[in-house]
Structure formats: C-alpha cells, structure tokens
Amino acid sequence: MKQYDAIIIGAGHNGLTNAAYLAKAGLDVLVLEKNDYIGGAAVTRELEQGFKYSNCSYVCSMMRQAIHRDLDLARHGLVLVPYLGTVNFGDQLNDVLVDYPNESAGYNEWRRRNPHDADSRHRFETDLARYAQLIRKTLLRTPPDPTSFKPRDIHELLWLGKTFFSIGEKQLYEYIRFFTMSATEFLEEYFDDPLIKAAMASPGIIGTALGVDSPGSAYILLHHVMGDVDGNIGAWGLARGGMGAISNALMSAAKSHGAEVRTNSGVAQVLVENGKAAGVVLENGDELRSKIVVSNLDAKRTFTKIVDRKDIPERIFKQASNFKIRGSSGKVNIALSGLPKFIGVPDNRYINRGGQGFCGSLKTMEKAYDCWKRGTWSDDPFIESVIPSVWDPTVAPPGQHWMSNFIQYCPHELADGPWTPEKRDAFADSVINKIERYSPGFKDLIIHAEVRTPFEIENEVGLTEGNIFQGELTIDQLLFNRPFPGYSQYRMPVKNMYMCGSSTHPGGGVSSACGANAAREILMDLKKANTVPEDDFYDE
Amino acid sequence: MTSNLMTSHEAYTNEHGKLSPFHERQAERNVRGAWAEWNGYKFAEYYYDAQYEYFCVRNQCGTYDISPMQKYMIEGEQALAMLNRMVTRDLAKCKVGRAMYTVWCTEEGRLIDDGAVFRLADDKYMLTCGAPMIAWLRRAKLGFTNVTVTDVTDDIAALSIQGPTSYSVLRTLNLTGDDALETLKLFDVREFTFNGKPITVSRTGFTGDLGYELWVDPAHAIELWDAIYAQQDNYGVHPYGEAATDMLRIEAGFIMPFVDFNEAHKTIHFRHDHSPLELNLDWLVNFKKPMFNGKKALLEEAKTGPEYRLVKLDIEGNKPAEEAWLYADKNCTKEIGYVTSAMWSPVAKANIALAMVKPDALKGDIYAEIYYTQELRQKMKVAKCELKDKPFWAPERARAVPPFQY
C-alpha cells in the first residue's frame, strides 16, 4: 500500500498553501477534500448561470504578499484588484458617509460632518497603524511557547518583547488596554459623530460573536484593518474571478510542485497507531497511509469528530469541545439585473459602486447583537456589502451584477428550534428589506439569491457552527493560546499530526499564513530545508 | 486700443497647450485636474488616480489619448526604399495591413527614436513616434524621388483602448469591413466603417495586454469616444493617463525615451545615447538588409559587443529600485550598471526594473543599492536582483485570436 509523506485534510486555502510548501520541499503530498470542489471558504460558485459568487469569504486583504510572490500565484492566475469607495449608511435615510478613495475628498466629507472628527481621524489611523504594524510582524512567525525553555522559544519571546517595547512606554500601556477594550470604548476616544463611530466600529464585529460594546471587539477591528493591498495598508482587494481564484492558484502551485489533490474524499477518522498518526480512513472506508497527517479543519471538528477520543489526552478533548467557535454571521449572495442606486449617494462613479456598509449606529449594531444572544436575527441587521462585478468583468454578464451581503448577526441555533427553509427565507427577507429601504427598487433587480446561515456554512464548508474564523479571535484564543495553550506551534497531541487551518495562529482571514507556518514547523521536524519565505513588509 | 494688439487670452495661447480632439470629454473626466504635456498638447497625467487607472487596464479596459503622438504619411513609389534605408528592420517583410515596431539610428548607430510603421497600402506607410521627426524624415528622404512625407499629426485623432474587455467594447461599435474585427492578429491593421465613417483599427498598444489603437478623422473623435463610453458600465472603460501608462509599459518591458534611453539628437554627452544593441533590441536590427543608417557602426559594435545591455530584473523586497546603482557584490564595491525604470508590479507581485548592466557582469550576482525614505528618514538597502528573460506581464489574451469576449 502506498505511503504518502503527508496527507492534508481539507483543501481550503490554508491546506493548499501547506501542501504547496511541503511539496516544494520534495514531500509526496496528498490533499483530501470532502466536497466535489476545492477552496473551503475561499471559493467561487456559479449557482445561477453567468453569476459567479464568492459565496463565503468575499474580499481579501490579509493574503501574505510574500507567499503570493514566492509561490508565483500571479503565474497561476491570481490577480488581486483593490476596490475603493465604500458608502456607509446611517439609521436615517439620506445620512450617508462616503469613504472616498482620494484622501483630500475624504477629508472634505468628514469635515462636512464634523471638523473635530476629520482632524482626529489622523491620530486614529496613526494609532491603528502603529498597533497593526506590531501584529503584522507576527503573522508569518510561529508563536513562542511562554512556558518553554527551548532556545528558540526564548529567542522568539525576546523578539516579541523587543518588538512590542519598541513603540514606547506610553503606547505600550495603550496597546495592552486596547486588547481588552470594546470597539465602542476605543472609538469614543477619537470621535463624536454617531455614523463615523458606527462605520469605524463595524470591522470590530465582523465574524465574531461579540457586540460593539463587548470587551475584545477593538482587537477584531484591528484584525480587519492590518492587511494591505500592494502596500496600501488597510485596503481590501477582490480576487479577479472571485475568491476561488486564490484557492485555484494555490492548488495549481501545489500541483506544479507535485502535490496530489482529491475531491469527494471526506475523512472519517485519523488513523493512530502506537500513539502516532499513520494515515486516514475515508468516509467510504478506504484507508490511506502517510507519515504525517495535517488537519486543515477547525480545532473543534478535528478533535471531536475525526480523531478518536481515546487517542488524545482528555484535557484536549475538553478544550476542543469548549473551543470558542460560535457562529454569528450569515451571507446573502444576490444576482442583480442592474446596478442598484442608493438614496443620498452622489452620482460619483468612484463611490457609488464599490462597497456598502449598512451600519446605522452603534445602538443598532448592539441591538442586532442582542437578537443573536436571544437566538434570533434582527430585522435591522448590520450588513457589509460589496458588488464585485462592478470591478470584475468575469463574475457577471455585462451590465448585470452580483452583490455579496455579509450579515452580522445570524445565530447558529435558533431559540425556537432548528433552521428551516422558511426561517432561512425570513432571515433573507430581513436583509433584502433593509437594502430595499436604502435602495428603492432593489427587489425588482433580483434574479437569484443564495442564503447562507451558519447552518449552511457549517454543513457545506465544514466550519463548526459556521464560524468564519475557525474559532473566535479573542485574546484567550490568540497567539500562543491558539487553538489551545501549549499547542500553538502547529504540532498536535498526537505525534506526527499537525494543524494548519485558521484555528491556529494567526487566525481567520484568507492569509495563507497558518498553512505556511505549519509547513515550516513540519519541515523542521522532518529535518528538511525550509521552503517558506519570510514576510515582506512595506513599513520597514 | 488698436486691433492688432493681442487679447490677454491670445497672449497665452502657446502656454495653454493644444487641445486634443478628445479633450472636451477628457476634461470632463479629469476630476483632479492633473494635466501634463506631450508635443505641445495638453495631456492627462492621470484622471483620478494612477493606480486605479492601471488596474482598469489590467482588469477591464482603459482608453489612452495618443493623438499627440507624431504621425507621418510616407507615400510614393520609393516610400519603402526610403524607409528601409532609414530604419533598422526590413520593412519589405511588412505586408499591407501589418504594422512593425522598429527603431532608427544615426550614422554612428545610436538610437534617434523608436516607433511603429503601418503599411496602409503598397506605397503608403504611416510612421508614428513619440517625438517630432519631420526634420530627420526630410534628411532621410534626400536622394529618393517619388516619395512624399506629410505630417498628419493634427489630422488624425487616435485613441488607444487597452485591456481584457477592449475587444468586447469594440464589438459593440458594429464596425464593418472586409475582415471581421475578431480576426485581427497582433500588429494587424484594417480599415473599417464606423457609423458610416472610415476608421482604421490596429491591434497594437503600449501595455503588453489585449488592446487596439483607433485612428479617425478628428471631426469624428467625440462620436467615437461617446460610443466607447456608452459601454463604460458594461465593461468598465476608464480613461488613463501618462502615469498609468508608465506602469503598464514597464511590466510589458517596453522602453521609454528619456527614461530608458536618450534620443541621440538630444544627447549632449558622448555615448550618453544608446545603440539598439545596448537596448537589447538586436531582434530589430536586420544586418541582411543592403544598407541602412548606422549599419556599419552597428556591425562593428556587434563584433566587439555593446558597452551595456538593457535587462529585466526581479528585485527582492518591495522597495522600487528607482535610480539605483547596481553592483556585482553585496558590499557595493564593484559597480556594474544602473536602473532605468523601476516599480512594484501589482499584477506580477514582483519588484521589477529595467536596467543597464555591463554585459560581462550578467553572469555574476547583481545587487541594487536602493534608497527610500520612511517618515523623512533616509534609508538604504542592498537587494539581490534576479535576471528575467520574459516580460513581467505577458498574458495569453494579448495574442489570442479570436480574443476572449466578455
């Protein structure tokens, strides 16, 4: 029976990144995917003819440029296009805050609302950039184990300390406060204008089961603004051809180094022999053997579903069971016969087409969170929308569009029993009705809609509870605590078994960093030369 | 006041710059008021943002006003003989309905300019180039009878439309002609009718991508513009200026006068101009031709080897190596050349550059000494460079026949 050097469970973007780097080092690698398509949550799906939805993740900013470049993803067909000009809508119709692509135009827009905030924005962005710069440096590095006395861990800890102290004493205090603050508290220190605060707070709740008033939401905010596109810090890009273009390019790169990828191959169990991972058993009963096994699934799914409880310490089973991975977001992907127009938005082609933030106010967002806590959805949800087809000619027919609507919040389990198709439609109505309010006639443009609650995201993609980050990004689950204290270095309690998904450092987002970091650790254990590049920063 | 005094407006006519046939529409689109000049024409540096426009071309499509480019009709029995005596390529190989990129040199084999020659009929050529060439053409014509050279720069409005959706946009213009638009290969030139008016379409450009250049009577320029821009919401058409062009052409590996080479007639210092061999344009020099300007000098140079070679570099890190010196060693002690153009390429995700390097140094290591600033502090880094043979951006779609339709 053939023995692979490595089997990777899950062809999400991190699994494919991991495969590419292991194959590049000369390993015989097999990637197994349960679905009949690859990509995990970075996929492009044509569910209505001519419309190509990025039906899970929809924008990209954290993709490590060093990996993009090193794996030559451009040659494998990946082009990232920055998109600009998001419009934020307040609770009142006509109350519109435009995020102009041009700095001077943006200043004028803010000054019109509130001269104090327009000025304060500079300090806000500088502080945020300062914090982001530190976190960004850790992305393509393995977190040190603070309890270890290994020279490498001590060295990394010293580096981490030195890096954090480099911002100065006062800023360090601020930074430590920042980690446990709520987005609201953080923003109160800079802004007065309600819509400005709401718009700035929205990245603090995306994908997470926290409200704008919850401690820890300030960090989530940072997580969403620390990326960049070609050095434009905080900018977001679209993958030409949809998010699936990222996965496809990674797969093509992995294959060019000799990796094998098999779809329709769900893994039922990790084979453990003498305390060591020895391969996998597929759902169809086939047994595949390998020297190491890498799970791209989330930590909870890995250690409660596909690893036998008796093969791991009881503590890990408990920690995996209690891993904070609450589903809180939904998605409504809509095909449109034309470009929607929005009330109060100037007919300026640089702003009325990129993205829309239906944030309302901090109160509206917190109310939506209250609904989630009670196991229902808000009839006034927070929606972050993008119309990728305005920028990307490959994802919709000419003159027609598709709109990605990300909804915070949507519960994994409803208070009144399980999700049903009727409830799913009612959830979608809350979204469509809200957009219709700001864009009269919107409903008439709808050709097709795909509704995804955490239930669909869990069952189709495989993310436990439909949590988009494979585990929440709160400080108890970050850096050397991710996924579990003592297991942050990608090695798992079963020997020869590793994790490479977003459940590991640095967490959620299409960054390829988790997969690359895991590959570096694996190659170190196998005493192979490292193939993973160092990160490349613009601000150095 | 007497009538022969100029009005104050007239007194500044030369300062304002000539207006292109597309100016009226382009001025509406130039929301930032970012104007530059080209051959006396008022010309957009950018319309909204250089990087935005760059992405329009790589992702959708853009239009670039090439009306200020210099255009000359060379006609008559001896048109071919005259041009073939002037340029380095063999134009006898250029059939009617084809265009050729070429250069022309001084007697010393130094580059006067580069440009394109379009063969419109048996005895009719159009030469296009970046800078005025009428004086040189008049000298090149000496000794040839039965040939006329006409400066038609102001008589032809020209618009370049470049990018993956450019073909899809042109398709909507319902051009009629002997050949279908979709059959055009790279460097093909064809006559069509647009709304009953003649239009020349060439599959040419300066971006390395799928694209066309459109040549019409200036009287029909606005009509053409409006027909193209009627499609802007379907195919994402956006005007782009000089700044985006510079990014696009570096990725394609195309050279720019006064950036990558100095025109010989405008070069004061000895050998600060360039030969086509230095610019790695050997493929443009046809030594089998009986006689052409600079042949003797170039033959000599081909034997001894050029002083420099223009090469493509992929440089580690992300700091553009603008005006960087190149060295054979990391300590920067042995100088081997200099960078002429450099940029971070968003589509290739590479730190790219065109550079002049001494040929014997090409076998060894190449390091760039890059200077940049960070919050007013001068910084320097030495980055390893990798030689590249192929252009940084050369998608299949640029050559595909028929082109992909969106």
Side-chain angles (χ1 to χ4, degrees):
Chain A
M1 188 183 217
K2 171 164 183 172
Q3 188 185 35
Y4 289 92
D5 289 330
I7 284 179
I8 294 150
I9 306 168
H13 86 280
N14 273 314
L16 294 166
T17 305
N18 189 260
Y21 280 114
L22 295 185
K24 197 177 175 186
L27 267 57
D28 189 4
V29 178
L30 172 66
V31 185
L32 297 171
E33 168 58 45
K34 77 175 176 79
N35 287 324
D36 60 1
Y37 53 90
I38 61 117
V43 287
T44 305
R45 306 271 289 140
E46 188 168 353
L47 302 173
E48 170 75 13
Q49 204 193 345
F51 295 90
K52 292 174 183 162
Y53 297 156
S54 294
N55 71 342
C56 282
S57 61
Y58 49 101
V59 284
C60 176
S61 165
M62 292 177 60
M63 183 71 202
R64 295 294 84 212
Q65 190 170 282
I67 293 172
H68 192 152
R69 186 178 186 182
D70 181 70
L71 290 178
D72 212 350
L73 299 184
R75 190 168 59 83
H76 293 287
L78 180 60
V79 173
L80 296 181
V81 183
Y83 80 96
L84 313 157
T86 295
V87 182
N88 294 286
F89 297 96
D91 282 327
Q92 303 301 316
L93 294 179
N94 265 317
D95 189 17
V96 170
L97 172 71
V98 176
D99 188 11
Y100 280 86
N102 177 267
E103 195 183 324
S104 175
Y107 176 74
N108 289 339
E109 169 78 351
W110 279 50
R111 196 179 154 76
R112 176 181 66 81
R113 297 186 71 90
N114 188 314
H116 165 271
D117 290 6
D119 180 14
S120 197
R121 184 184 191 176
H122 298 116
R123 186 169 62 90
F124 171 74
E125 287 183 346
T126 303
D127 285 350
L128 220 48
R130 208 180 277 144
Y131 300 157
Q133 182 199 350
L134 298 186
I135 290 289
R136 210 181 297 126
K137 282 183 184 156
T138 70
L139 296 179
L140 260 190
R141 295 176 88 112
T142 298
D145 181 346
T147 65
S148 150
F149 291 103
K150 282 186 199 150
R152 181 170 170 243
D153 284 310
I154 292 168
H155 180 268
E156 273 301 291
L157 267 178
L158 284 173
W159 173 84
L160 203 61
K162 201 178 128 216
T163 305
F164 278 69
F165 275 103
S166 71
I167 61 173
E169 199 181 338
K170 178 175 166 270
Q171 285 301 328
L172 190 63
Y173 285 131
E174 292 293 325
Y175 197 25
I176 291 166
R177 271 181 75 225
F178 172 80
F179 259 101
T180 49
M181 270 174 136
S182 71
T184 302
E185 287 164 333
F186 179 57
L187 292 163
E188 296 284 3
E189 296 189 2
Y190 300 91
F191 304 122
D192 295 339
D193 184 89
L195 182 51
I196 285 177
K197 278 192 277 193
M200 295 291 113
S202 60
I205 56 168
I206 285 183
T208 198
L210 296 176
V212 285
D213 292 343
S214 313
S217 52
Y219 173 75
I220 316 285
L221 192 159
L222 181 65
H223 194 83
H224 281 114
V225 299
M226 71 180 158
D228 67 80
V229 181
D230 298 310
N232 299 305
I233 311 283
W236 285 83
L238 298 166
R240 195 170 192 272
M243 294 299 281
I246 297 175
S247 303
N248 291 341
L250 284 164
M251 180 169 74
S252 171
K255 284 183 171 175
S256 75
H257 290 297
E260 188 186 330
V261 179
R262 264 192 232 172
T263 52
N264 292 315
S265 305
V267 169
Q269 200 175 351
V270 176
L271 210 56
V272 180
E273 290 170 358
N274 305 321
K276 289 179 186 168
V280 297
V281 181
L282 296 184
E283 278 161 0
N284 66 8
D286 287 358
E287 196 180 300
L288 296 164
R289 301 195 69 87
S290 65
K291 290 177 191 155
I292 65 162
V293 173
V294 188
S295 172
N296 185 31
L297 313 185
D298 66 65
K300 189 166 181 173
R301 197 178 173 97
T302 301
F303 290 107
T304 64
K305 293 263 170 68
I306 62 162
V307 174
D308 195 319
R309 190 168 173 174
K310 70 175 166 27
D311 290 329
I312 47 171
E314 191 57 18
R315 167 172 87 89
I316 296 304
F317 181 79
K318 273 276 175 310
Q319 278 182 332
S321 305
N322 295 338
F323 189 57
K324 214 161 60 181
I325 186 162
R326 297 170 296 181
S328 60
S329 337
K331 192 106 197 279
V332 181
N333 302 305
I334 305 176
L336 298 165
S337 61
L339 193 62
K341 288 196 185 313
F342 297 92
I343 295 173
V345 179
D347 189 20
N348 169 336
R349 60 182 306 106
Y350 302 104
I351 61 170
N352 64 357
R353 41 193 55 216
Q356 296 79 30
F358 300 90
C359 40
S361 60
L362 291 172
K363 212 171 245 174
T364 302
M365 287 197 261
E366 190 66 15
K367 262 198 239 162
Y369 180 49
D370 292 339
C371 291
W372 176 85
K373 281 187 280 186
R374 292 198 311 272
T376 183
W377 62 83
S378 169
D379 58 5
D380 196 3
F382 164 69
I383 312 168
E384 184 184 80
S385 309
V386 186
I387 307 179
S389 47
V390 167
W391 304 80
D392 184 350
T394 69
V395 294
Q400 303 194 323
H401 294 279
W402 88 268
M403 185 177 187
S404 162
N405 301 289
F406 176 88
I407 300 98
Q408 196 72 20
Y409 303 83
C410 184
H412 173 249
E413 274 172 41
L414 296 171
D416 62 356
W419 279 98
T420 60
E422 293 73 33
K423 288 181 196 170
R424 198 177 57 201
D425 289 347
F427 164 70
D429 284 343
S430 76
V431 177
I432 290 166
N433 288 337
K434 178 156 182 176
I435 300 173
E436 171 79 21
R437 215 161 15 106
Y438 291 88
S439 177
F442 177 77
K443 282 183 185 178
D444 300 334
L445 299 174
I446 298 176
I447 294 172
H448 172 265
E450 182 203 18
V451 189
R452 307 190 99 196
T453 71
F455 179 81
E456 281 79 28
I457 297 173
E458 172 162 36
N459 286 290
E460 292 169 25
V461 187
L463 294 162
T464 301
E465 292 192 34
N467 181 290
I468 64 168
F469 294 143
Q470 278 203 355
E472 285 167 67
L473 300 172
T474 48
I475 188 142
D476 55 319
Q477 296 192 154
L478 281 176
L479 213 64
F480 37 69
N481 289 332
R482 193 169 184 88
F484 321 123
Y487 292 97
S488 66
Q489 297 182 336
Y490 309 91
R491 295 169 188 83
M492 290 303 121
V494 177
K495 209 169 166 1
N496 296 345
M497 184 172 168
Y498 299 82
M499 275 182 59
C500 73
S502 297
S503 277
T504 62
H505 170 79
V510 183
S511 70
S512 279
C514 309
N517 286 343
R520 191 178 50 239
E521 295 302 312
I522 291 167
L523 293 173
M524 191 185 292
D525 288 354
L526 297 178
K527 300 192 166 56
K528 294 260 184 191
N530 179 33
T531 50
V532 179
E534 284 187 16
D535 215 341
D536 189 18
F537 303 104
Y538 279 91
D539 50 5
E540 274 190 343
Chain B
M1 194 182 281
T2 56
S3 61
N4 63 351
L5 276 179
M6 284 181 180
T7 66
S8 64
H9 183 78
E10 284 167 342
Y12 288 91
T13 299
N14 286 339
E15 314 275 6
H16 292 311
K18 272 195 294 192
L19 301 182
S20 136
F22 300 104
H23 180 78
E24 194 186 328
R25 291 292 184 269
Q26 293 183 147
E28 289 164 13
R29 298 300 300 261
N30 199 325
V31 293
R32 309 238 80 86
W35 296 103
E37 284 143 322
W38 185 13
N39 291 332
Y41 278 91
K42 190 165 174 164
F43 180 74
E45 170 75 20
Y46 55 89
Y47 291 83
Y48 188 74
D49 174 82
Q51 181 155 320
Y52 178 91
E53 289 155 31
Y54 156 87
F55 271 110
C56 286
V57 175
R58 289 290 181 239
N59 182 39
Q60 296 172 310
C61 80
T63 65
Y64 180 62
D65 185 3
I66 48 171
S67 303
M69 196 162 67
Q70 302 297 288
K71 304 176 262 308
Y72 303 96
M73 283 302 173
I74 294 130
E75 294 167 88
E77 245 171 74
Q78 285 200 297
L80 173 62
M82 175 217 148
L83 281 170
N84 234 2
R85 169 73 172 73
M86 179 176 119
V87 307
T88 56
R89 266 184 112 170
D90 188 1
L91 291 180
K93 289 181 181 160
C94 185
K95 298 197 175 80
V96 175
R98 292 286 292 164
M100 262 189 181
Y101 170 65
T102 187
V103 296
W104 47 98
C105 298
T106 62
E107 215 53 42
E108 295 77 29
R110 314 301 283 181
L111 208 70
I112 296 173
D113 206 350
D114 64 348
V117 178
F118 299 76
R119 189 164 191 181
L120 303 177
D122 270 343
D123 290 338
K124 185 178 181 184
Y125 293 84
M126 178 170 74
L127 174 85
T128 63
C129 51
M133 206 51 57
I134 192 72
W136 184 249
L137 284 167
R138 208 164 88 184
R139 292 177 70 171
K141 192 164 86 81
L142 286 176
F144 293 95
T145 51
N146 251 330
V147 57
T148 59
V149 175
T150 322
D151 185 343
V152 292
T153 303
D154 297 341
D155 307 327
I156 298 176
L159 193 67
S160 185
I161 179 164
Q162 303 280 313
T165 60
S166 56
Y167 168 70
S168 298
V169 172
L170 291 192
R171 249 186 121 254
T172 66
L173 302 187
N174 295 317
L175 303 178
T176 50
D178 294 341
D179 294 318
L181 185 65
E182 64 172 44
T183 63
L184 259 67
K185 297 189 296 290
L186 199 58
F187 286 107
D188 271 352
V189 193
R190 293 288 184 279
E191 302 294 331
F192 292 93
T193 306
F194 161 65
N195 287 353
K197 291 133 195 157
I199 182 172
T200 304
V201 179
S202 56
R203 189 164 166 182
T204 46
F206 201 46
T207 62
D209 222 307
L210 172 64
Y212 301 83
E213 288 170 331
L214 313 174
W215 317 81
V216 293
D217 185 325
H220 307 142
I222 295 293
E223 190 181 344
L224 175 65
W225 178 280
D226 289 346
I228 288 171
Y229 278 85
Q231 298 299 325
Q232 63 178 331
D233 290 336
N234 289 335
Y235 300 107
V237 198
H238 193 281
Y240 65 100
E242 199 177 336
T245 295
D246 199 42
M247 298 173 73
L248 297 159
R249 67 93 194 167
I250 296 173
E251 286 181 339
F254 297 150
I255 53 172
M256 188 81 118
F258 301 117
V259 181
D260 303 294
F261 74 93
N262 227 42
E263 295 172 20
H265 285 156
K266 298 168 189 169
T267 303
I268 297 163
H269 300 287
F270 182 64
R271 293 255 151 144
H272 279 213
D273 51 13
H274 301 86
S275 80
L277 307 186
E278 287 180 356
L279 294 164
N280 224 339
L281 298 174
D282 312 36
W283 63 285
L284 294 183
V285 183
N286 191 324
F287 286 120
K288 289 181 194 139
K289 273 202 308 185
M291 184 60 196
F292 63 92
N293 224 33
K295 182 179 179 183
K296 200 177 156 202
L298 289 171
L299 267 173
E300 199 60 36
E301 191 185 352
K303 257 184 258 160
T304 55
E307 188 187 356
Y308 282 101
R309 271 300 214 183
L310 184 90
V311 293
K312 299 178 193 75
L313 298 177
D314 185 357
I315 303 173
E316 70 174 357
N318 55 44
K319 300 284 178 281
E322 279 160 1
E323 300 181 355
W325 293 88
L326 299 175
Y327 298 90
D329 57 330
K330 212 173 176 178
N331 295 327
C332 302
T333 58
K334 191 169 175 278
E335 191 200 313
I336 54 169
Y338 58 97
V339 168
T340 58
S341 292
M343 69 179 280
W344 171 259
S345 164
V347 289
K349 283 282 176 287
N351 192 19
I352 65 174
L354 302 179
M356 284 292 195
V357 181
K358 298 218 163 101
D360 55 3
L362 288 172
K363 285 180 211 94
D365 290 344
I366 302 175
Y367 290 91
E369 184 184 45
I370 303 169
Y371 286 83
Y372 62 100
T373 59
Q374 181 194 61
E375 295 185 322
L376 305 183
R377 300 266 190 108
Q378 270 280 352
K379 294 206 162 189
M380 189 273 275
K381 70 183 283 185
V382 178
K384 187 132 205 296
C385 308
E386 199 189 317
L387 277 178
K388 290 277 170 190
D389 296 336
K390 298 209 171 70
F392 305 103
W393 184 252
E396 275 173 43
R397 67 186 180 219
R399 289 175 173 274
V401 181
F404 183 77
Q405 193 194 323
Y406 287 88

